[in-house]
Amino acid sequence: MPPAVDVHKELQMVAQLQDVDNKLQDLEEEKGDLPRLVQKMNDDFDKRNHMIDELNNRVGEVRKQKRALEGQIQLSKAKQKKYKEQLYTVTTNREYDAITQQIDTVEKEIETQEAAELSLLEQEEVLLSQIEEIKGEAGTISKDLDERKLELGEKEEETEQQELELQHERDKLAVRIKKPILAHYERIRAAKGVGAARLFNQACGSCFAVVPPQRQAEIRKLNDIILCESCGVILLPESEEE
């Protein structure tokens, strides 16, 4: 255990650090829900652009299949024309029946291909309609996002200098506090939102668990690092106003 005077000094700096963090938190809260909202809108905008890219890729695949089918239909129709022309040159019923059967086969082939082509056309129309709908949503989000970004930018501009000064003050304090104490403070602050708390109405100012009178007296002496048995924050005496 370091000398009492060192602990006293450490706790004073921890108290100052928590006060600075409280002020930084207050500045952050002044921005309200804007940072989270802007991030969510950014994510929504990016998500829709990703969906548009995927749909455009699918449109490209459908069009590729359509081009291939168009080529197949042209070949089938060329065969159909050829077979029909051959009907005029046959000399026997057997030849006539064979060519007629080939014509029937190729006509069914064309019918199947054209049905597939129609299905691809319908798919393309649906995909293009979805793209336009999502583009409209993305446009609305983009407009709202620009407004929210502007609003957030104005708020950040209002608090920027104060935040810089507080962050500078925080950095100076952090390098002076002993590493084990600072590490505990930062760990608890990350989990609970605060790393240290003052006594408030004979209880921990963070979780409001009642602190026994003897322990309160020890906390007020500032001679030892005392943690809340309930939430783990570093306990500090009441503020001077109290």
Side-chain angles (χ1 to χ4, degrees):
M1 174 64 64
V5 64
D6 287 345
V7 174
H8 192 134
K9 184 177 179 181
E10 291 291 323
L11 287 170
Q12 285 180 325
M13 288 190 292
V14 167
Q16 291 171 25
L17 182 62
Q18 185 61 69
D19 288 343
V20 169
D21 281 338
N22 287 342
K23 290 175 184 176
L24 283 167
Q25 182 62 34
D26 289 343
L27 289 178
E28 195 63 31
E29 288 175 358
E30 281 183 28
K31 300 172 190 174
D33 207 30
L34 275 174
R36 186 199 62 79
L37 182 59
V38 165
Q39 183 59 54
K40 182 180 182 302
M41 293 174 76
N42 260 322
D43 292 344
D44 288 344
F45 183 71
D46 290 343
K47 180 181 177 181
R48 278 161 177 77
N49 280 330
H50 181 66
M51 290 168 66
I52 290 170
D53 288 341
E54 287 188 338
L55 288 170
N56 276 324
N57 288 336
R58 288 169 63 187
V59 168
E61 286 298 318
V62 167
R63 287 175 174 170
K64 183 179 177 181
Q65 292 175 42
K66 271 174 53 189
R67 287 193 297 271
L69 264 177
E70 287 166 1
Q72 292 172 17
I73 291 170
Q74 288 176 1
L75 288 173
S76 296
K77 286 184 174 180
K79 285 194 291 183
Q80 181 190 42
K81 181 181 178 182
K82 175 185 172 184
Y83 293 145
K84 285 184 176 180
E85 288 174 348
Q86 287 177 351
L87 283 176
Y88 298 105
T89 63
V90 298
T91 57
T92 66
N93 287 338
R94 184 174 180 180
E95 288 177 338
Y96 182 87
D97 290 342
I99 293 174
T100 301
Q101 186 176 1
Q102 288 175 319
I103 290 172
D104 289 342
T105 300
V106 80
E107 283 179 347
K108 289 179 182 177
E109 187 178 275
I110 291 170
E111 184 180 343
T112 300
Q113 290 168 341
E114 288 180 338
E117 183 183 31
L118 180 60
S119 175
L120 288 172
L121 278 168
E122 291 172 349
Q123 287 181 48
E124 182 181 7
E125 288 177 3
V126 169
L127 290 170
L128 291 173
S129 175
Q130 290 175 339
I131 288 171
E132 288 306 309
E133 181 180 350
I134 295 171
K135 278 184 176 178
E137 293 174 359
T140 300
I141 292 172
S142 179
K143 182 180 177 182
D144 292 343
L145 180 58
D146 288 343
E147 293 175 359
R148 295 295 186 179
K149 280 182 176 179
L150 180 62
E151 187 180 351
L152 179 59
E154 290 172 351
K155 286 188 176 294
E156 287 177 335
E157 189 175 346
E158 291 173 5
T159 60
E160 181 179 15
Q161 186 57 38
Q162 194 174 355
E163 279 183 301
L164 286 172
E165 291 172 359
L166 285 169
Q167 190 59 53
H168 181 61
E169 185 178 348
R170 186 185 201 283
D171 291 342
K172 289 195 299 182
L173 283 166
V175 296
R176 294 168 58 198
I177 298 172
K178 292 187 183 300
K179 288 183 179 180
I181 298 173
L182 180 64
H184 179 84
Y185 173 90
E186 298 288 21
R187 184 172 62 254
I188 297 300
R189 188 172 75 93
K192 305 289 184 181
V194 293
R198 295 183 180 277
L199 291 173
F200 181 77
N201 288 338
Q202 302 181 20
C204 168
S206 172
C207 67
F208 303 107
V210 174
V211 179
Q214 179 59 37
R215 203 160 181 77
Q216 292 178 44
E218 293 172 3
I219 292 166
R220 294 184 185 107
K221 290 178 183 178
L222 293 174
N223 288 333
D224 199 2
I225 305 293
I226 298 175
L227 308 179
C228 173
E229 293 179 355
S230 178
C231 68
V233 300
I234 298 171
L235 289 171
L236 301 165
E238 298 89 342
S239 62
E240 292 180 5
E241 288 80 359
E242 294 178 86

